[in-house]
Amino acid sequence: MEISNLEAQKFGVNLKDFTRRRYLHVILPLFIVSIIAFLDRVNVAYAGMTMKETLPWLTPEVFGFGASAFFVGYVVFEVPASLLAAKFNAMKWVARIMFSWGIVCVLMTTMTTEIEFYIYRFLLGLCEASLYPVLYSLLIPHWFIPQERAKAISYILTSMIFSQIIGAPLAGILLDMNLFGMHGWQTLFIIEAIPAIAFAFIFALWMKAHPSEANWVTPEEKTFIESELAKEEKAKQSNKKYSILQALSDPTVLRLCVIYFLWIVGFWGFSFWMPQVLKSVSGWSPTLVGWAIVVPMTAALIIQVWCGNSSTKTGEKRWHIAITLFIGAFGLATTPLAPNPFISLICICLSAVGVYGGMGVWWTVPTTFLSGAAAAGAVSLINSAGNLGGLVGPSMLGIIKANTGSTELGYFVMGGAMFLAGLLCLTLPKEKTQQIK
């Protein structure tokens, strides 16, 4: 269901050229922000392979709770932070987020106790809170019309996978290095914090929150995009005009919260424990584990891009999301049964496809029937529910491993959660998941 050039031509707009420039000036900076965010969020997953050698208090339970502490901070501040961004300047808010989380990443190198570990992870979540809701519900909807958003968001969210493709080998190399007398994990935190601090200033100068603020957008293009977005808003309001409170209590929004909670139990349990699980079953070095993870991430990248393009063409969302969740459920449930490292890597590929594949399409669902502050609040609530899943998944695996010596049961639970998420996704009202024509 591609957007027709006819409407653009009425305004004297070359849609192909306008789209190319929007990808350069909007998608690219947001893509870079997301890569850096994900690197700094999950670098502890790789650091955990060697941190316990110099931090004897880092038991599986402590690691699981520390990984999850990020989501406590995120959930606490996410909804109010998103509403503040909607009220003020979303672009400047994102720049503030980047600078503050970069500082906390540097502080991570100074921790000497488990309490400090928990505090820094909590602060990292607090600083990053609202990043993705602001991207999905405020920045992208100002620049892309409904028919374009699944593809645009899918491209942005490939950054999560690219960050793993780049970050996994980089982490493996840094963990085997000792620069300036620092341990490898300290080097990892500092090297990956620098881009966040530096790019915060670049982003503030590069990105614009609205087409009306950008000097690279022609007057005709500004009129065209404003006209298309006005049509979208009119269509939404003709169905139902949502206040913030109504959006937060809407049954579909609440169902999306449950789905995303179950999904993210698997997503973050998988993401935070995958390097250690692969290392334990294979006996490979951190460097080799880092390079091996490139394989499942590449598979996930291909599927995520395909899902975004397919959903953009067809307008369908539910099955695109549900099928990837079912694939992920199968991969997670079979990972503990793998007889050797190579079969385990295949299961990890299926898991990665499942947890990442439908993510770009997923975040176009709320803005299909919500807009403005209502959309920002709802997306934040959904993301907060997911982050509660991020609190549950990693800590659950840590507790299970500490008490059983294995993560097998945890992987079965994550697989079940992903499967249930897929089933619930198919129960979403069709009229609220079809893009507005």
Side-chain angles (χ1 to χ4, degrees):
M1 194 178 296
E2 298 282 0
I3 178 175
S4 171
N5 266 306
L6 294 178
E7 285 298 316
Q9 289 171 357
K10 291 178 183 178
F11 291 87
V13 172
N14 183 326
L15 187 59
K16 184 176 181 180
D17 180 61
F18 184 38
T19 299
R20 178 188 62 78
R21 283 182 285 117
R22 282 183 294 165
Y23 271 69
L24 175 63
H25 292 284
V26 179
I27 298 298
L28 180 57
L30 296 181
F31 180 87
I32 296 172
V33 167
S34 187
I35 279 188
I36 298 170
F38 207 72
L39 277 174
D40 289 339
R41 186 186 290 195
V42 302
N43 53 17
V44 72
Y46 300 100
M49 291 192 287
T50 64
M51 284 170 66
K52 54 192 173 185
E53 297 171 6
T54 55
L55 301 174
W57 44 264
L58 193 68
T59 64
E61 283 178 296
V62 171
F63 178 82
F65 282 124
S68 297
F70 170 93
F71 299 101
V72 178
Y74 206 113
V75 170
V76 166
F77 198 48
E78 180 158 30
V79 173
S82 297
L83 295 177
L84 283 172
K87 185 176 181 180
F88 298 106
N89 188 297
M91 179 272 298
K92 291 180 180 178
W93 188 260
V94 171
R96 189 280 307 164
I97 287 174
M98 294 190 70
F99 182 82
S100 58
W101 95 55
I103 297 298
V104 174
C105 281
V106 173
L107 292 175
M108 288 278 290
T109 65
T110 67
M111 63 185 176
T112 56
T113 68
E114 59 188 87
I115 297 300
E116 291 174 343
F117 180 42
Y118 296 150
I119 290 172
Y120 289 142
R121 289 292 297 174
F122 172 82
L123 289 175
L124 189 64
L126 198 70
C127 290
E128 194 185 313
S130 78
L131 173 65
Y132 287 103
V134 169
L135 266 59
Y136 306 143
S137 63
L138 296 178
L139 291 176
I140 290 297
H142 288 160
W143 282 98
F144 293 90
I145 63 178
Q147 298 94 322
E148 301 173 306
R149 286 177 197 154
K151 186 175 181 179
I153 292 178
S154 288
Y155 279 133
I156 290 176
L157 290 183
T158 59
S159 61
M160 293 185 177
I161 304 172
F162 271 110
S163 73
Q164 296 273 39
I165 292 173
I166 297 167
L170 176 62
I173 293 169
L174 292 175
L175 288 173
D176 288 333
M177 298 173 64
N178 293 291
L179 295 178
F180 307 111
M182 294 187 296
H183 299 295
W185 60 269
Q186 292 173 314
T187 304
L188 172 63
F189 285 137
I190 286 182
I191 294 297
E192 294 191 352
I194 293 172
I197 296 171
F199 195 71
F201 297 97
I202 297 172
F203 181 82
L205 296 173
W206 185 359
M207 180 72 190
K208 301 299 179 186
H210 298 270
S212 60
E213 301 171 0
N215 57 17
W216 53 267
V217 181
T218 67
E220 293 79 12
E221 290 164 346
K222 291 176 182 178
T223 303
F224 164 67
I225 195 74
E226 288 169 3
S227 172
E228 292 298 310
L229 295 179
K231 288 180 187 176
E232 177 196 8
E233 184 64 19
K234 184 178 179 181
K236 289 177 182 177
Q237 303 301 346
S238 66
N239 293 324
K240 180 178 180 179
K241 184 175 182 179
Y242 287 82
S243 66
I244 295 174
L245 184 60
Q246 287 173 326
L248 295 180
S249 59
D250 181 78
T252 300
V253 171
L254 297 178
R255 195 179 309 180
L256 291 171
C257 289
V258 175
I259 294 169
Y260 201 52
F261 169 82
L262 294 168
W263 184 348
I264 298 304
V265 166
F267 183 101
W268 283 118
F270 169 78
S271 296
F272 279 119
W273 282 95
M274 172 183 57
Q276 294 187 52
V277 169
L278 184 56
K279 187 175 186 294
S280 66
V281 299
S282 66
W284 296 338
S285 69
T287 300
L288 187 54
V289 168
W291 283 106
I293 289 172
V294 171
V295 177
M297 292 302 108
T298 301
L301 174 64
I302 293 169
I303 297 302
Q304 188 177 87
V305 171
W306 178 85
C307 278
N309 288 338
S310 176
S311 179
T312 293
K313 291 177 180 178
T314 64
E316 202 286 323
K317 301 179 190 292
R318 294 183 302 174
W319 279 102
H320 282 80
I321 301 166
I323 289 174
T324 59
L325 290 173
F326 293 146
I327 292 172
F330 179 80
L332 288 168
T334 55
T335 295
L337 308 177
N340 59 61
F342 298 101
I343 298 299
S344 180
L345 191 59
I346 291 173
C347 294
I348 289 173
C349 284
L350 295 174
S351 301
V353 164
V355 300
Y356 287 103
M359 194 68 76
V361 178
W362 167 261
W363 284 116
T364 66
V365 174
T367 55
T368 301
F369 62 100
L370 297 169
S371 60
V379 169
S380 296
L381 184 65
I382 295 164
N383 206 39
S384 292
N387 285 324
L388 289 175
L391 175 63
V392 171
S395 58
M396 173 195 67
L397 281 171
I399 293 170
I400 289 173
K401 185 175 182 181
N403 287 278
T404 68
S406 168
T407 57
E408 289 186 6
L409 177 59
Y411 268 73
F412 294 143
V413 173
M414 291 192 299
M418 293 274 288
F419 183 76
L420 182 56
L423 291 178
L424 287 174
C425 191
L426 296 177
T427 70
L428 291 170
K430 189 174 182 181
E431 67 274 11
K432 288 189 176 181
T433 57
Q434 292 289 104
Q435 64 192 30
I436 298 172
K437 299 181 183 180

